[in-house]
Amino acid sequence: MATEGPAVRQVQVAEHPRLLKLKEMFNSKFGSIPKFYVRAPGRVNIIGEHIDYCGYSVLPMAVEQDMLIAAEPVKTHTLQLANTNPLYPDFSTSADNIQIDKTKPLWHNYFLCGFKGIQEHFGLSNLTGMNCLVDGNIPPSSGLSSSSALVCCAGLVTLTMLGMNLSKVELAEICAKSERYIGTEGGGMDQSISFLAEEGTAKLIEFSPLRATDVKLPSGAVFVIANSCVEMKKAATSHFNIRVMECRLAAKLLAKQRGLQWDKVLQLEEVQAKLGVSLEEMLLIIEDALHPEPYSPEEVCLCLGISLQELKTQILSANTQDVLTFKLYQRAKHVYSEAARVLQFKKICEEAPDNIVQLLGGLMNQSHMSCRDMYECSCPELDQLVDICRKFGAQGSRLTGAGWGGCTVSIVPTDKLPGFLANVHKAYYQKSGQGLVPKKQSLFATRPGGGALVFLEA
């Protein structure tokens, strides 16, 4: 995989309606012309949900929707941020004293994550300020990674402003780490695909070390995204971090039960690697080592031979210390089975049998069932939308993104697409009173888009 940094393109801004509008709004806001523009795309995860932070490969593709930032350096040390969406108020702060409030996932905090990540990577102080205008067309809180796209966009803006270079892999790793400033214990998929995506291909993203491999999707089908219109704000709730902790505890209990040095283990993938067994064998080990009934914090402590105080201060995150039950068996079962589905999905794409669309659809359906029943990250609206998509011609449909709201992704044979879109729109959006949502934002076919870019005006 290439290790060069994101591409820099010369563009005639007048020929790009969105850039032109951004330039005009920037001029009206700041009384000057942007020095450059940066884009970072959102993504849809085709398969491999909630396993990146467990150390396992995922299979996303970038969507065409993205975050765009117009920027210029200023002589002061003030960072001035504005958004084309009036719902998001202006913000300014000193570039030398970045404070990120974990208790409030406000839009500008995601920008500050990317800014601070680059600042800390190079150990810089006395940074010059900048004026930035942000424009996004990724539906927010929809599971299409609008937050991470903003973090990546801000990281690339800061790097470009400093005139420094990093590879796409380094940028992805810095942005994945810096997004944790907002309090979300994510894994790195979103930032990786935002930088490493290439048009026309999905990517198998692997971690430790981070690398991306092209996965050619079948030509006879398209992927359709449908927004349930239920917003899930990952940083504002503890659902997500509870799952991360349940996986961490499951890994520790499995490691202890198998005689490994459990206190150093953080991810379920490490247990498999240390035992040197297959994913299928890990599923059998779970049956033997973990029970389906929820674990209390006291039982976890008993199994690990530690005190409640040690559990809270050394293992759990701040917003999971008061959790009363942990479903370790269910979470581990989802992770190991989902990791196997990702590898199967890639293998089927490579072998391209005649019934490829049907086989891939079957894996997506299994993934949704596991997310719904074992990981419990679905919601009634997502389940209803998945059923509707399958009823009207999707070979497979599943939630995508963190869940608890957001979007579904479906694999639909190309010849069935027009009827599929019309029927799903009628059955879900008009019937459930969601008809007010702009159609292009709520239901659309997508193809693999390209990764982050810098635009300079020609």
Side-chain angles (χ1 to χ4, degrees), residues 5 13 49 51 53 67 82 86 128 139 182 209 218 222 225 231 268 288 292 294-295 306 337 353 366 403 424 450:
V13 168
E49 220 58 77
I51 61 174
Y53 53 78
M67 286 288 171
T128 180
I182 209 116
V222 288
I225 294 168
E231 287 198 359
L268 285 163
D288 185 41
Y295 287 73
I306 58 172
S337 63
Q366 287 171 30
V424 172

Side-chain angles (χ1 to χ4, degrees), residues 204-244:
L204 180 80
I205 307 267
E206 298 169 86
F207 303 96
S208 306
L210 178 62
R211 55 209 183 279
T213 313
D214 291 358
V215 176
K216 190 177 182 302
L217 299 170
S219 53
V222 288
F223 288 89
V224 178
I225 294 168
N227 192 341
S228 71
C229 304
V230 175
E231 287 198 359
M232 192 281 165
K233 293 183 166 63
K234 199 160 66 175
T237 62
S238 55
H239 297 316
F240 185 88
N241 283 354
I242 290 170
R243 296 300 182 278
V244 177

Side-chain angles (χ1 to χ4, degrees), residues 136-154:
N137 61 5
I138 308 167
S141 303
S142 63
L144 299 179
S145 205
S146 57
S147 311
S148 297
L150 180 51
V151 175
C152 293
C153 214

Side-chain angles (χ1 to χ4, degrees), residues 408-446:
T408 62
V409 58
S410 303
I411 186 169
V412 181
T414 312
D415 57 356
K416 289 193 177 164
L417 182 63
F420 175 84
L421 293 173
N423 285 322
V424 172
H425 190 257
K426 197 169 156 189
Y428 186 76
Y429 297 98
Q430 287 175 347
K431 281 227 173 110
S432 60
Q434 308 281 15
L436 301 170
V437 177
K439 190 173 177 183
K440 66 171 192 260
Q441 268 212 345
S442 53
L443 182 67
F444 54 91
T446 190

